[in-house]
Amino acid sequence: MKKIIAREKLPELWAHLSEQGPLFLPIQDGPVVLFQPWFEGAEINLDAVNSAVSPKDLFLPREETFMHYRCSGKQLEMTPVEPGEPVTAFGVHPCDLKAIELLDRVFLGQEPPDALYQQRRENTTVIALSCSAADPFCFCGDFGVDPADAPGADIMAHLSDDSMLFESRTEKGAALLEQAGDLLADAPEETFSREAVQTADFNLQLEGLAENLKDRFDDPAWDQLYKSCLGCGVCTYVCPTCYCFDVEDFGHEAEGERFRCWDSCMYGHFTEMAGGHNPRPERKERVRQRFLHKLQYYPEIHDEIACVGCGRCLRSCPVNLDIVQAIKALGGEKIEKR
Amino acid sequence: MTTESGKKSRLIEEMKAQSGQDPNSCYQCGKCSAACPVTAALDLMPHQVIRYLQLGLEDELAESKTPWICASCFTCAARCPRDIDLARMMEGIRLSVLRCREGNKFGPADLTPEQLEKLPQQALVSGFRKYNK
Amino acid sequence: MPRTGVFICHCGTNIAGTVDIDKAVEASRNFPGVVHADEYRYLCSEMGQDIIKKAIEEQDLDRVVVGTCSPRMHEATFRKAAAEAGLNPYLLEVANIREHCSWVHKDMGEATPKAISLLRAAAAKAALNTALEAPRLDVEKRALVIGGGIAGIQAALDIAEAGYEVDIVEREPSIGGRMAQLEKTFPTLDCSACILTPKMVEAAQHPNVNLLTYSEVEEVKGFVGQFDVKIKKKARYVDSVKCTGCGICWEKCPSKAPSEFEMGLAKRKSIYVPFAQAVPNVPVIDRDSCLYFRKGRCQICEKECPPQAIDYEQQDEIIERRYGAIIMATGFDQLDPTIYGEYGYGQHPDILTGLEFERLFNASGPTGGKIVRLSDGKPPKKVVFIQCVGSRDKARGMNYCSKICCMYTAKQAVLLKEKVPDAKSYVFYIDVRTAGKGYEEFQRRAAEEYDVAYLRGQVGKIFPEEDHLVVRGVDSLSGRLIEINADMVVLAAASIARCDAPEVGRLVGINSDSYNFFNEAHPKLKPVETHTAGVFIAGACQSPKDIPDTVSQASAAAVKAIGLLSKDKLQGEACTAEVNQAECSGCLYCEAVCPYSAISPVEIEERYHGGTLKRTVAEVNPALCKGCGSCTVACRSGTINLKGFSNEQILAEVDAICLQR
Amino acid sequence: MAEHNLEQIEKIREAVKQDLLGGRIDLLLGWEKGHYWWQSRPLFAQSEEDLEKLAWDSFCAVNLSRYLLEELKEHNKVGVLVKGCDARAFNRLLQDNMVPRDRVILYGLPCPGMLDYDRLAAEAGSVLLSITEENGQVVLITAEGEAKADRDEMLLDKCRGCIYPDPAVYDQMLLPPQGEKESPERFKKVEELEAMSAQERFAYWEKELSRCLRCYACRQACPYCSCRECFVEQENPRWQGRAYQPSENFMFHLIRAYHGAGRCIDCGECERSCPVGISLQELNRKLIKDINELYGDYEAGLDAELEPPLLTYRPDDPAAFSEK
Amino acid sequence: MSTAVNENAAGWEPLIVAFCCNWCSYAGGDMAGTSRMSYPANVKVIRVPCSSRMSPMFILRAFQRGADGVLVAGCHPGDCHYSTGNYHVRRRLSAFKRLVEFTGVEPDRFEVRWISSSEGDKFADEMADMTNKIKALGPNGKMRDARWQNIT
């Protein structure tokens, strides 16, 4: 199903969609753009190249309560949290959607699947948005992402100067377009042709990298690479493919709730064990872990590098230590351009 | 001697506001009077002026010549162990006496145009300010 | 989970009248960790305590919460009871449901839930209580007295008499202090030397007293019971053992310097004893004026000394000793009145301070005991005394009353009349303050029988005219200007703290007030104690004082020191701070805010990348820590915690108290 | 890169080369370029070859002093290039006993104020190829031509309130100092917020802090955050919950700022590091402003000998609450 | 995301947490009790050895857990049992109070007072005064953790 809407009518569409349930879209919040629930008067920024934090939040929220507990005497009572209402995600760029597919392999790719993740995934209709621009940090081309198309979307959307086009890819997507009713008009086929967006070329050689890295655990390159790292964890928090979390309780001995929340392998406490031992005591081990996880461990299991070239770590790292630098330092740079 | 304690004296309040000095910090050692170069000419000695202030003897103060004889040489202020700036206080009394006195107002209308022309602007402004409250 | 027992006291109807005890007991049973709850009419009674003890044993309780009166009242009682039942006393917590609840609320509907809330907080805290042990500390049975004036001598003698060793450190060549400079003492007019000298001698001869004159304290380390002190014994250049005090050396010495003892009004020799009755009667050589030290020749004293006690090669000596207690008795100074230009002090020889004037009465003083003008040697016929020179003066001097001037001025006026019967005294005063036994009577006698004219007022100017001094002042009572042609003027200059008092205080770890007088621990209830345990203060170093007050305070300080020395072990504070050194970053902010210098840096070794790394961290000396917890807040990372009031415990209390329903 | 700039780099390189090769220092902390000309990352130079990468331009914002904490564990003597804020950061660390003075050589550089690429790019409109600088102006070079912009307008936020661009402490000044700057706007935002009602202020901060990811980049970048274990990570007691509740956000940000009371050097690395652009510096500046007002002017990091104001007191201090 | 406050306005009673130093203010509270003065039961006291033990984090924790007002009370300056504790508190909490106000908490919600052990009347007055002010302000939602209200 292909539909079109005039750009100035988009607010009506958002208002309509948000009546059906929470609608998440890129909202200008202070100096940054973030995926947030729509509200009256929100400043929607569809021109932003990328949100400051990836929309993985929608499926792996930074904080998610999953159970309440209560003890009275020797009785322990545990109540799981009810699933939430259906959600629409609007304006997810192809790289971010690709990242969600990578997360799917982690949370849904084995038995039993992660129930919380699965429930959110099923509950969400994703309207992907093709990129109309790239900034110097966008390098998704290296990871087979097409900035103009997101295969995993329920609806694929394209933005032009005066209108927005929607193409449903799944039943869920079609249903959504359907119920928008009169707000959308049928779109002619020819309006969907687009110019390709040029992404950055960092001259990377990714093929065979994972294999190559197997022997580079003790590579002297690590001794230099980690040095500038502040250990702040920004990269992991903005990254669309990082998925580590921690579980914590809130309450007291006899009553409270249990929730999970984002965590980062860049933190010392991440691997600290109950007895006090820490297998990754210093920044070097942590930096190595993060990059090897993206470039070697994940590909070993899922056959694909856990990076989509969204460029967030390049943009956000306060000391400009990012995955491109790491790949280059570890032999992932093309020797000569062919 | 009747004191007016309990009732706030306008003159004294005005004096306090003008000078920022508190007569109650004086313990009447008399050093100001001992140091004052014009004590002999005064009807009330400086420390007595403060005592009158403490007692609220407003009318008596208004009648006293002392504040008008005080030359503001600041010897009293320099000597005072209680850190009272007596010279300022005297100036405060002078101003308050003037301001509390009725029928002493004068304004531009009281001056002839010639006078107005001749007198320096600054003097006029300060004069009006002083005599017009 | 702990096994907590909650016990709630009715306190007759004091608590039960406004708190529904049954409800509180019932509610307590549901607190996390509570396995037993009970109530009793009077928990503090023998019976009540037995209930707690029995429950501890039978119910195998490891935490106890008592809901009773203020912990300031009976915490000790209940903790003792718990200890008797074999429980560490610090595992017991008190919930104050009387003073802070039943007595201040009238309505049972209000007081009961609040009491439950307080009990719940106490239970939450108790769950995190840990067994604590108060440290037991050794006591070195020796005291140090700093300052050899009458305060120091008295304190030392009292301690010595109680059977403990005591050292007096005096920086001058002789003990005696200010009192030795006085001629007579008010109000009885005893000869000061006559009552002081025997005490000085007694101190010198007492087997338990060790005099360290011409010495200064260099460093104090350690803490109550174990102060490690370094004392510098300055070189006298005279062998104290050989010297017989015969006096030939200072008789023969050709060079002179102003005498400190005579307030500079007379000269002394370069080898000298400060005054005739000096103890020890051993001279010192003043290097600054001695010809031999200045120019390398003379050596007359060495040649003349019969026992050959002169030793130019003598060096300063450092003595290190440990003391259980320290008494500070460093005395006072006199304010220099030159800041008062109107009085002309320092510009005319007949304008003196009280202490200078005092020296004129003394038979061995600068005038041989004759009261004469230093300008022309004639006896003064008119003497003006000015009081409050620098005292009660917030503008240029000290804001306080120096306390002794009214009395010594009256005394000097009386003595003057006795020495120069036709002399007339005038006293300019602001207020005459003569509180003290026999003081008022004495001052009145001066005014009535000795013809001393008291003028209520102050002096504005003094200037010389012909052979006299014109004193221009005012008598505020008559409202008249007064002009006196005086022969002499005596200024009752303020008594002030020793100029180096703050540094000396810092040495022993006590602080000073804004005038640099040492601070007592409590102005009423701990007047001789300081905030540093084991350090006591006596005499005018705390505030201006007369001799009887000084001596009383000295004896009081001595008693405190004796009390301390009489213990075999000291019980320290159990609730002290402790550092988790593994997490301490060594910034030492804790050290900066600790009022007891209980925290110090220490170097530790840590493993790092297979090797070791040295770094500095904080360490708490539990003997010094008093448990205020200021350090715990200065520590950003919570690395330093306070036992008994730990971060965990306080947060648990907050959490519990905020559970309203 | 401008000629002038290359000259400066050469001068710096020459000065540190002697020391590094001569053994006076074992490591030099400086800057090198990132992927693009507007990026700089810390350089850890141990050889002449490393020094070839040395950069000094208008994009060297990273505060280097913090790296001393780690590098001094491995190297005996470390040299650091310090701008005004790096030097104040060094003093800050010195004051906290985090670095031994005698094992560090500070090479002072006067800071021109670092430029903000995002601002430059926005000003340029189209793809920004490079810039040059002259007379307080930035020349923006794009494919379409050149445009000029006022340099002060192009500064990073953190550099806008800077008063002390010259290092307060150094062993050797490599380029001539430029003197103190006026910053009338330093507390402007704080004052604006102060003028609001409590309700408005709360709304402002609640929104601002709602973006917080609790990544703690602000802390990691900060030269006053030198604790071995931060309160946020402590398990016992659990001061700071990990949940993204507004209350937890306030707890973290208030305490983070409070821990810098009297210690914050106002370098703005916290705000620069924040991936979601929270105006963290206003919290820090509020404390600076208040403490200066209440307890006398104090500029953290200027003099390591001066005791931080919250570690000392005067008996007659004023209070922000009634003392009656 | 605004914090919801569940209390219905009619039956609402504020919760005020007062941290009192053991030697002066807590004793002042005892004195208020001994003298049978009365003050609202909304105030609940937590005893700390010295006001300098007061970490700002305790204050925030109280607000998080639902306190509508927080009071820290210590000895008058110069009277600190530990001699200098309250001088440090004055600086620390002055800075902190202004910071808390800066983030939008009404000034009356967090106060510091000096109350001596003899000032039972002052203790009672301050508690009543604080309660009245907080009642006028209404429930505090700022910095409150809504989750704590679900816990009993």
Side-chain angles (χ1 to χ4, degrees), chain D residues 143-185:
Chain D
E144 273 122 63
E146 293 188 1
K148 282 189 178 175
D150 189 2
R151 191 176 192 282
D152 285 347
E153 290 303 309
M154 296 294 114
L155 288 176
L156 282 170
D157 276 337
K158 75 168 213 157
C159 297
R160 296 185 161 216
C162 181
I163 308 173
Y164 308 100
D166 293 325
V169 55
Y170 54 82
D171 295 292
Q172 192 180 337
M173 199 68 189
L174 299 186
L175 299 170
Q178 58 176 57
E180 282 187 18
K181 286 204 293 194
E182 289 274 314
S183 180
E185 302 217 326

Side-chain angles (χ1 to χ4, degrees), chain C residues 94-114:
Chain C
V94 176
N96 182 351
I97 58 169
R98 193 177 75 175
E99 282 86 342
H100 282 209
C101 189
S102 69
W103 274 355
V104 286
H105 309 310
K106 304 211 160 49
D107 179 42
M108 201 173 249
E110 278 183 350
T112 306
K114 175 165 169 182

Side-chain angles (χ1 to χ4, degrees), chain E residues 80-121:
Chain E
C80 177
H81 178 77
Y82 304 101
S83 88
T84 59
N86 50 9
Y87 289 134
H88 286 291
V89 174
R90 182 156 58 189
R91 285 196 171 199
R92 290 172 185 168
L93 293 188
S94 288
F96 186 68
K97 180 167 163 58
R98 288 212 180 166
L99 180 68
V100 169
E101 290 170 15
F102 186 65
T103 51
V105 172
E106 297 89 347
D108 287 340
R109 293 217 190 260
F110 168 47
E111 277 296 2
V112 184
R113 288 286 180 271
W114 308 135
I115 302 171
S116 82
S117 53
S118 60
E119 292 175 324
D121 50 346

Side-chain angles (χ1 to χ4, degrees), chain B:
Chain B
M1 188 160 52
T2 53
T3 67
E4 294 185 277
S5 54
K7 176 186 145 218
K8 269 203 173 165
S9 153
R10 183 176 158 211
L11 183 131
I12 291 166
E13 290 308 311
E14 182 81 32
M15 184 285 298
K16 280 192 197 171
Q18 288 295 331
S19 67
Q21 304 300 308
D22 181 3
N24 284 336
S25 51
C26 169
Y27 57 33
Q28 287 289 305
C29 70
K31 189 147 183 167
C32 44
S33 304
C36 178
V38 293
T39 310
L42 305 177
D43 57 351
L44 283 182
M45 287 187 160
H47 77 274
Q48 289 174 312
V49 169
I50 305 188
R51 187 67 187 146
Y52 277 39
L53 287 169
Q54 289 174 340
L55 297 173
L57 304 176
E58 187 177 327
D59 299 339
E60 289 83 344
L61 268 177
E63 293 305 313
S64 168
K65 286 189 212 126
T66 296
W68 305 97
I69 295 171
C70 166
S72 292
C73 72
F74 290 97
T75 311
C76 45
R79 299 270 192 275
C80 177
R82 307 304 300 161
D83 229 358
I84 299 173
D85 190 335
L86 201 53
R88 231 169 220 262
M89 203 178 244
M90 290 292 186
E91 172 63 7
I93 294 169
R94 288 193 289 266
L95 279 173
S96 339
V97 167
L98 289 174
R99 287 176 183 196
C100 295
R101 210 177 270 171
E102 291 301 321
N104 195 22
K105 294 176 180 153
F106 86 104
D110 301 326
L111 295 168
T112 63
E114 297 82 64
Q115 280 173 314
L116 274 173
E117 209 147 279
K118 266 189 203 161
L119 287 169
Q121 189 69 17
Q122 228 175 340
L124 284 174
V125 171
S126 75
F128 294 148
R129 197 177 282 153
K130 214 171 202 174
Y131 295 103
N132 244 341
K133 280 276 156 101

Side-chain angles (χ1 to χ4, degrees), chain C residues 82-146:
Chain C
E84 283 163 11
L87 195 68
N88 182 290
Y90 295 93
L91 296 172
L92 178 141
E93 273 300 317
V94 176
N96 182 351
I97 58 169
R98 193 177 75 175
E99 282 86 342
H100 282 209
C101 189
S102 69
W103 274 355
V104 286
H105 309 310
K106 304 211 160 49
D107 179 42
M108 201 173 249
E110 278 183 350
T112 306
K114 175 165 169 182
I116 292 170
S117 193
L118 296 176
L119 285 160
R120 178 166 194 146
K125 183 182 181 195
L128 298 168
N129 281 15
T130 48
L132 301 179
E133 216 56 71
R136 291 175 66 76
L137 316 163
D138 287 332
V139 183
E140 184 73 25
K141 303 207 172 276
R142 183 187 300 122
L144 171 67
V145 174
I146 303 177

Side-chain angles (χ1 to χ4, degrees), chain C residues 10 114 146 157 168 172 218 223 245 315 365 382 409 425-426 430 444 461 474 502 531 537 573 581 637:
Chain C
H10 296 234
K114 175 165 169 182
I146 303 177
L157 284 174
I168 301 179
E172 298 299 331
E218 290 270 288
F223 44 86
Q315 297 293 321
K382 277 185 184 177
T409 299
S425 298
Y426 301 86
I430 302 173
R444 287 319 306 158
K461 197 172 172 62
V474 76
H531 283 295
I537 47 176
E573 172 67 51
Q581 294 185 332
S637 63

Side-chain angles (χ1 to χ4, degrees), chain A residues 218-227 284 288, chain D residues 74:
Chain A
D218 291 319
D219 198 293
W222 294 115
D223 291 330
Q224 287 307 311
L225 194 60
Y226 85 93
K227 275 189 172 281
K284 179 180 161 185
R288 180 167 61 195
Chain D
E74 280 164 30

